[in-house]
Amino acid sequence: MSELLVKNAYVIDPINDIKGEIMDIAIRDKMIVESVGSSAEVVDAKGCLTLPGGVDSHTHICGTKVNFGRYMSPEDMRAGRGRAQPYMYPVSGYSVPTVYANTYRYSALGYTTVLEGAMAPLEARHTHEEFFFTSLQDTMANTLFDGNWSVMEAVADKDLKRVAAVVGWTLAAVKGFGVKVTNPGGTEMWGWGKDVGCIHQKIDHFGITPAEIIDYLIQANELLNLPHSVHLHCNNLGKPGNYKCTLETMQRTPDLNDKRQTLYMTHVQFHSYGGTKWSDFCSKSDDVAWMLNRKPQIAIDMGQVMFGKTTTMTADGPMEFNLFRLYNNKWSNHDVELETGSGIIPVLYSRKNLVNSIMWSIGLELALMAKNPWQCMLATDNPNGAPFVKYPEIIALLMSSRYRNEEFSKVHPNTENRVHLPSLDREMDFYEIAVMTRAAQAKALGITGIGKGHLGEGAYGDIAIYPIKTDDIDPAAEYEKIIKGFSSTDYTIKSGRVISRDGNCLLNGNNRTIWVKPKIPDEYDMSKDPEFIKKFERYYSVSMENYPVEEAYLNQRNICIETETKL
Amino acid sequence: MMKKNVICPFCGCLCDDLGITIEDGKITGVDNGCSLAKAKFLRKERLQSPVIRRGNETIQTGYEEAVTYAAEILNNAQRPLFFGWSGTQGEAQAKGVHLCMLLGGVIDNTSSLCHGPSIMGIQEVGHPGCTLGQVKNRADLIIYWGCNPLESHPRHMSRYTTYADGFFLKNAFRERKLIVVDVRKTMSSDIADEFIQIEQGGDYAVLSALRAMVRGEDEIIPDMVSGVSKSQLKRIVEMCKGAKFGALFFGLGLTMSRHKYKNIRNAVELTEELSRHTKFTISPMRGHWNVYGANEVFTWMTGYPYAVDFAKGIPFYNPGETTAADILFRKECDALMIVSSDPAAHMPKKCVEHMANIPVIHIDPHKNCTSFFSDIQIPVAITGIEASGTAYRMDGVPLRTKKIIETDFPTDTDIISRIYEKIQEMRNSV
């Protein structure tokens, strides 16, 4: 039995409605308890800002396309090399770092739980293999269903329960967490080098529309009682004028769950574009935020873009090809049979570029115009908008209009006429930042019940202690101190063990994989369904027996969330 | 007893539909496997225990002594080189990387002798690819360039391309066109709809001509390009642009011939150009069953797919400098650990000469050419037959090879882990 006592912490814990109190936090073994004995190890937080461990509800750190991002980019590897240190292996990479670099850097930022945003079911083993080495965070993987043939056929047959059964079987087989839908229908069309437009264009052969895929998956998600909602990357990403498609998708979202959102829309910055072409490109964040503010059933993440080099990677294959034709750098693509696709290109977001400057503004505008911080997560869709190491700068931008104005003065001079940012004077406080970086993310993922994202009794002892004395700092004026303070914790504690001190990580945080297994009645068990079995025999290149991810890929401390379904 | 859906640990196809008959704990039959698979599953002779070379003699020894001996060699080395990895499981590859990090050595895999140039080409221009099932279900045009799959990957055509019926091609053999590009006739070229026979070293020029023609720049192309007529090139371009889904596969005939990685860059750029007209993909024909896995594991752990040097404490990568053949050629390394590979059979003479002059640790179930240059060979279980483990198919799909018979041999992962622990012990006791 190990015991730890965090003393004199200045705690903000939004889920438990703690808005800044000096407290002690006691942990026995992995969990937070009311009190511990006098022999407990003591960490003195000295009034420092103490938050639940950070939760990133959308990042790309493990799996086939992430690794291909590293594979194709030795230049990015050279940009982030580091020597071995006690308890730390040598690392490489800036925008797509090695597994160890990812886990160390997230840990230094105080993050203890991360969600890989897109896992192709057929290639799930890869994601789980990398999770094994992501030693300082608990991990989970959203599983791609955007171009799943069995789902699309069931949608064409208007058979909701079959959609749910396919999703349930697949999630359990690949040890996935939630349902990810990326450019629904578009990835299947990309199998023929095409794309869909917005949500009402019919998909070749299947004769259904993206809207129908989204509608059915949302309902199937609730039938399966999954902890997280459908996680949607809308159609038309990155195209001028796409805000209309985004609004239409938002408009049709029902309100089906009283505990969390019904739809999580990701990197909405990339979907809030006005204009008709790049020359009249402008921000439509006002319209999107307006819709968000009247739709509590929707949560979003910002998809903030920050200036500098990064690597874009997404299951949205056609979008990446369009981007490649724009940038003419290098392009990788990887379509996955019967399921999905993906693309990767490196990009440079430049302040001198008008479009990039507008993109940078839109992300901030969305966060500042979303009235309820529980509906808007802080994320960059790492590394698409920017590498996650930029999070402290984004926090500072949200907390200080002075910082925003200074940064705004350096962007392309024509930006002002195309965006709303200069007119927004909201400055967020520490509580709102805590919501956007952990509490809301845990709630949106549906993992507060298993003890994530808060510091209540019975929660996991995941704690981030930042060298920030909230009373001594004026974030609006001293934004540099905010950036520094959020860049490296004094202590990151995971499951009751100190895993990082002053940015130096101690290896082995007893990482776990959180996955979901819906309880499916026999009549909906796809492993016994003749049509489904035929798919494997005839069209997959892997047999059904060799498809599911074996238990050997879950570390022994995995957390399986079994759900009661309404099938 | 018959085990079904066994994954074949021989080539990059990783066929997962083999039926293996087992009688009295021994494999007696292989269904669905090609001749290469059968040879692997039915192979009988192997090294029975670790052997250490003393002068001209080899002495049998136990695993504990062998592990200690290997650990001493590595711990005393200034610049150890770790090579091979394409014939073992991902778990062993990861352990190998950790061992290399601990010792500040260089680690390389066999792709530096096969598709290393492909990786360099990809690092310049990317890689528009897909899984093999995508080809099976959709592709109506297949190109094999610089490879002879009927002999090197005997089931590639029947499982994934020419003979494989797919969702959108119910009668694949009739509905799909096959183009083979090579410098000589092969079994594969014999069944092609179009065989482009190019002059040795002419791939780059032919690829460039095709790219120009896809762009509509026909008039600049001479009547003959590296032995290929303009009219045939024109026909090929029309076939490619007219296809609904084209898939180009290339082998060592392209990576290791004149212009090396520039050939691959050119082929990828041809694919990109064709993607502006129709759907087109390109994929390397990976040879060893888990050579792609070695690239994957190295990449997520070190940032680079092969040839990674930790001598400076940071991962450093520069093919041509940090590749195994170059290090051996320069007589730079003072110890060599080889896992599941046979470099003595494939490397230049000068490299093998240096191999003979330095301590060599060889971890492999079987004797091969490298055994004759080894100071110690440690036999292990055969992954995919006697041990489970992760492997990556040539298209990046990860599979778990199975343990189908029992053995007393330790796995590669066990042996490398024990060497790692022994070295830590030695260092801690100093």
Side-chain angles (χ1 to χ4, degrees):
Chain A
M1 187 179 73
S2 64
E3 291 189 331
L4 182 76
L5 183 66
V6 178
K7 289 180 72 171
N8 308 316
Y10 177 90
V11 176
I12 296 177
D13 177 9
I15 284 172
N16 291 306
D17 208 26
I18 296 168
K19 297 181 175 172
E21 285 176 32
I22 300 291
M23 301 170 64
D24 294 348
I25 307 165
I27 306 162
R28 181 171 305 123
D29 291 330
K30 294 169 186 155
M31 317 303 278
I32 294 176
V33 291
E34 199 182 335
S35 62
V36 286
S38 55
S39 59
E41 182 189 344
V42 173
V43 166
D44 191 350
K46 296 176 211 143
C48 287
L49 177 64
T50 300
L51 307 177
V55 178
D56 197 338
S57 57
H58 189 148
T59 180
H60 299 282
I61 51 159
C62 293
T64 33
K65 69 178 175 299
V66 175
N67 211 34
F68 211 86
R70 299 172 185 130
Y71 185 99
M72 67 187 261
S73 307
E75 67 281 4
D76 190 71
M77 294 305 122
R78 287 195 293 274
R81 291 185 296 197
R83 288 172 190 283
Q85 292 177 45
Y87 308 107
M88 291 165 78
Y89 291 110
V91 295
S92 300
Y94 171 64
S95 66
V96 254
T98 53
V99 275
Y100 289 125
N102 269 326
T103 198
Y104 300 154
R105 288 173 200 168
Y106 257 124
S107 185
L109 295 185
Y111 278 73
T112 51
T113 311
V114 292
L115 176 133
E116 163 55 46
M119 174 169 82
L122 178 65
E123 297 173 342
R125 261 181 212 90
H126 186 147
T127 306
H128 288 287
E129 279 213 285
E130 286 196 52
F131 278 175
F132 180 81
F133 296 98
T134 308
S135 50
L136 303 174
Q137 283 81 34
D138 289 340
T139 49
M140 52 196 118
N142 270 351
T143 309
L144 289 157
F145 288 96
D146 37 68
N148 188 296
W149 286 9
S150 298
V151 165
M152 289 195 292
E153 283 166 356
V155 170
D157 292 342
K158 303 194 184 307
D159 189 343
L160 173 63
K161 290 198 167 181
R162 191 173 172 87
V163 173
V166 172
V167 169
W169 181 86
T170 310
L171 276 183
V174 305
K175 315 297 188 258
F177 178 75
V179 174
K180 177 68 181 283
V181 195
T182 295
N183 185 6
T187 51
E188 163 57 27
M189 292 285 272
W190 180 236
W192 299 117
K194 304 177 198 168
D195 194 0
V196 286
C198 191
I199 56 175
H200 298 300
Q201 189 180 323
K202 280 217 158 65
I203 299 155
D204 284 2
H205 174 76
F206 293 92
I208 55 167
T209 63
E212 290 173 282
I213 296 179
I214 298 166
D215 291 351
Y216 273 88
L217 282 172
I218 284 177
Q219 293 176 64
N221 197 83
E222 298 307 324
L223 269 187
L224 293 171
N225 198 19
L226 301 183
H228 187 33
S229 64
V230 164
H231 196 114
L232 175 68
H233 158 139
C234 287
N235 300 97
N236 269 344
L237 184 146
K239 294 179 193 163
N242 65 6
Y243 79 105
K244 288 181 190 159
C245 188
T246 310
L247 290 177
E248 209 181 338
T249 309
M250 295 171 96
Q251 181 63 43
R252 63 188 297 123
T253 303
D255 190 358
L256 301 178
N257 195 311
D258 55 6
K259 294 199 183 77
R260 54 147 169 81
Q261 75 289 342
T262 301
L263 183 67
Y264 180 112
M265 299 173 77
T266 192
H267 43 65
V268 174
Q269 178 278 129
F270 291 104
H271 302 275
S272 305
Y273 297 166
T276 55
K277 49 193 176 303
W278 294 115
S279 57
D280 61 357
F281 183 70
C282 63
S283 167
K284 281 290 179 184
S285 60
D286 51 343
D287 287 14
V288 174
W290 178 84
M291 183 69 89
L292 179 71
N293 289 336
R294 60 196 292 276
K295 291 268 181 189
Q297 64 267 41
I298 296 172
I300 67 167
D301 69 57
M302 300 159 70
Q304 178 62 26
V305 155
M306 296 292 277
F307 300 115
K309 273 188 176 181
T310 193
T311 307
T312 64
M313 51 181 64
T314 166
D316 195 340
M319 189 283 291
E320 286 287 0
F321 183 60
N322 288 336
L323 216 51
F324 161 66
R325 287 191 291 185
L326 212 58
Y327 281 87
N328 275 314
N329 192 334
K330 54 186 167 186
W331 166 55
S332 289
N333 178 78
H334 185 69
D335 297 347
V336 180
E337 62 207 53
L338 285 82
E339 292 179 353
T340 182
S342 71
I344 308 165
I345 71 158
V347 298
L348 167 68
Y349 293 118
S350 166
R351 298 171 193 276
K352 294 178 181 169
N353 179 302
L354 176 59
V355 168
N356 292 167
S357 300
I358 296 168
M359 291 163 82
W360 171 81
S361 304
I362 293 173
L364 295 171
E365 289 167 8
L366 285 168
L368 294 167
M369 287 198 259
K371 287 183 184 159
N372 180 358
W374 292 85
Q375 275 181 280
C376 182
M377 324 294 154
L378 191 153
T380 59
D381 181 18
N382 167 67
N384 286 291
F388 66 84
V389 290
K390 294 277 192 184
Y391 286 0
E393 285 176 51
I394 301 170
I395 292 172
L397 285 165
L398 294 174
M399 295 186 89
S400 165
S401 65
R402 188 190 296 183
Y403 183 34
R404 287 200 296 271
N405 292 338
E406 280 178 24
E407 288 294 294
F408 200 82
S409 67
K410 298 176 200 162
V411 301
H412 191 285
N414 292 351
T415 310
E416 196 160 357
N417 306 322
R418 317 276 188 107
V419 302
H420 314 285
L421 193 61
S423 66
L424 301 173
D425 54 9
R426 180 174 169 190
E427 291 180 331
M428 292 194 178
D429 58 23
F430 288 108
Y431 180 83
E432 286 168 313
I433 295 299
V435 171
M436 290 178 72
T437 55
R438 47 265 291 160
Q441 309 222 15
K443 182 167 172 283
L445 293 175
I447 52 172
T448 55
I450 60 164
K452 287 285 183 176
H454 66 103
L455 300 173
E457 225 176 292
Y460 281 103
D462 293 357
I463 303 169
I465 303 168
Y466 296 95
I468 296 172
K469 298 274 169 61
T470 54
D471 291 341
D472 299 346
I473 296 179
D474 172 10
E478 298 173 291
Y479 51 82
E480 293 288 356
K481 286 187 181 171
I482 292 294
I483 296 172
K484 192 161 178 281
F486 277 108
S487 293
S488 172
T489 58
D490 276 352
Y491 294 90
T492 302
I493 297 166
K494 182 174 167 298
S495 297
R497 294 175 61 211
V498 177
I499 55 164
S500 175
R501 271 186 214 160
D502 304 323
N504 293 319
C505 301
L506 311 174
L507 202 67
N508 187 7
N510 292 348
N511 60 320
R512 290 164 295 207
T513 299
I514 304 167
W515 63 290
V516 175
K517 187 172 165 188
K519 289 183 189 164
I520 307 235
D522 259 3
E523 65 262 41
Y524 289 103
D525 181 354
M526 296 312 287
S527 67
K528 296 171 187 155
D529 181 272
E531 274 298 306
F532 197 67
I533 293 168
K534 194 174 90 181
K535 283 248 153 26
F536 278 89
E537 286 173 354
R538 296 195 181 169
Y539 308 125
Y540 268 109
S541 59
V542 171
S543 68
M544 196 169 183
E545 182 188 322
N546 289 319
Y547 185 90
V549 173
E550 295 80 0
E551 295 284 330
Y553 291 92
L554 297 172
N555 66 40
Q556 289 168 355
R557 296 173 297 273
N558 75 87
I559 301 171
C560 175
I561 301 175
E562 284 198 79
T563 66
E564 300 292 339
T565 63
K566 292 173 224 150
L567 273 175
Chain B
M1 183 180 61
M2 164 83 95
K3 295 229 171 164
K4 288 189 173 171
N5 295 322
V6 172
I7 297 167
C8 172
F10 188 86
C11 81
C13 286
L14 285 184
C15 301
D16 75 331
D17 59 347
L18 272 57
I20 304 290
T21 309
I22 298 165
E23 292 170 40
D24 298 331
K26 293 198 169 62
I27 297 171
T28 55
V30 180
D31 287 354
N32 290 345
C34 63
S35 52
L36 303 171
K38 283 180 182 152
K40 173 142 191 178
F41 277 97
L42 297 172
R43 186 173 180 172
K44 298 228 165 32
E45 85 286 4
R46 68 190 298 172
L47 192 62
Q48 294 299 331
S49 72
V51 288
I52 292 177
R53 178 183 303 282
R54 300 268 188 233
N56 286 331
E57 281 181 39
T58 50
I59 304 162
Q60 288 198 356
T61 184
Y63 277 95
E64 186 57 36
E65 295 80 358
V67 164
T68 307
Y69 189 63
E72 277 167 2
I73 291 173
L74 292 172
N75 200 31
N76 291 333
Q78 295 291 311
R79 188 155 174 74
L81 171 65
F82 301 84
F83 180 76
W85 310 104
S86 54
T88 189
Q89 62 207 102
E91 294 77 358
Q93 293 159 353
K95 273 283 163 208
V97 172
H98 280 148
L99 182 58
C100 182
M101 285 173 170
L102 177 74
L103 294 168
V106 189
I107 189 160
D108 192 12
N109 52 60
T110 55
S111 52
S112 67
L113 303 176
C114 59
H115 278 280
S118 311
I119 295 168
M120 290 168 72
I122 287 166
Q123 287 172 339
E124 286 194 353
V125 285
H127 175 206
C130 64
T131 65
L132 289 162
Q134 190 79 341
V135 175
K136 172 170 95 162
N137 287 315
R138 294 179 200 262
D140 54 353
L141 175 73
I142 306 288
I143 304 174
Y144 285 109
W145 196 307
C147 55
N148 175 15
L150 279 180
E151 292 189 273
S152 63
H153 299 75
R155 295 184 72 214
H156 196 266
M157 283 185 174
S158 57
R159 272 177 66 85
Y160 309 121
T161 66
T162 312
Y163 302 107
D165 292 344
F167 189 85
F168 294 103
L169 291 104
K170 304 295 183 199
N171 189 347
F173 187 63
R174 293 187 196 287
E175 293 173 42
R176 163 181 283 151
K177 296 281 181 220
L178 173 66
I179 299 172
V180 171
V181 188
D182 214 327
V183 293
R184 65 180 72 84
K185 284 188 165 189
T186 63
M187 272 173 73
S188 304
S189 71
D190 286 346
I191 58 163
D193 296 287
E194 281 280 348
F195 171 45
I196 310 179
Q197 186 161 11
I198 53 177
E199 288 169 0
Q200 195 96 35
D203 304 86
Y204 189 87
V206 172
L207 284 164
S208 300
L210 289 172
R211 276 176 68 195
M213 291 169 94
V214 173
R215 283 191 161 213
E217 307 284 347
D218 295 38
E219 70 282 358
I220 61 167
I221 305 300
D223 289 341
M224 292 292 281
V225 180
S226 298
V228 186
S229 70
K230 184 174 179 178
S231 60
Q232 190 180 22
L233 291 173
K234 182 81 188 155
R235 207 159 57 237
I236 300 301
V237 168
E238 292 311 319
M239 282 171 80
C240 289
K241 284 166 75 172
K244 284 187 190 151
F245 188 117
L248 192 164
F249 294 93
F250 63 94
L252 300 199
L254 197 60
T255 67
M256 284 295 171
S257 62
R258 195 172 170 202
H259 306 299
K260 294 220 168 172
Y261 80 96
K262 291 291 182 192
N263 286 335
I264 313 308
R265 178 182 171 138
N266 219 350
V268 170
E269 289 187 307
L270 171 65
T271 311
E272 290 172 354
E273 202 60 55
L274 284 165
S275 297
R276 293 164 199 260
H277 299 272
T278 182
K279 180 75 178 186
F280 233 87
T281 63
I282 181 167
S283 311
M285 296 287 283
R286 305 309 299 267
H288 293 103
W289 62 278
N290 199 19
V291 64
Y292 194 62
N295 296 144
E296 293 277 3
V297 172
F298 282 27
T299 301
W300 77 62
M301 296 188 77
T302 75
Y304 306 106
Y306 67 111
V308 197
D309 186 350
F310 286 97
K312 295 173 192 160
I314 49 168
F316 175 75
Y317 162 82
N318 191 20
E321 182 186 356
T322 55
T323 19
D326 300 275
I327 286 171
L328 284 161
F329 191 86
R330 291 196 305 267
K331 302 187 167 123
E332 204 173 286
C333 56
D334 57 352
L336 172 63
M337 182 165 120
I338 298 156
V339 180
S340 61
S341 167
D342 187 12
H346 298 95
M347 284 199 180
K349 185 168 166 252
K350 267 201 161 184
C351 300
V352 183
E353 278 171 8
H354 185 58
M355 229 182 269
N357 290 329
I358 57 171
V360 174
I361 303 155
H362 188 201
I363 299 174
D364 202 298
H366 306 292
K367 283 186 197 166
N368 55 32
C369 291
T370 303
S371 304
F372 297 103
F373 299 87
S374 305
D375 292 76
I376 175 162
Q377 182 169 358
I378 307 176
V380 282
I382 304 166
T383 309
I385 300 177
E386 299 166 340
S388 312
T390 315
Y392 283 74
R393 205 166 66 183
M394 60 167 72
D395 57 350
V397 172
L399 292 166
R400 185 164 181 82
T401 61
K402 295 173 187 172
K403 174 180 182 169
I404 52 171
I405 53 173
E406 290 302 323
T407 182
D408 292 332
F409 287 98
T411 65
D412 304 89
T413 313
D414 293 336
I415 292 295
I416 299 164
S417 305
R418 284 169 68 179
I419 293 173
Y420 187 95
E421 283 156 22
K422 187 62 81 178
I423 292 172
Q424 276 188 320
E425 240 175 66
M426 289 170 178
R427 294 189 162 192
N428 291 338
S429 67
V430 173

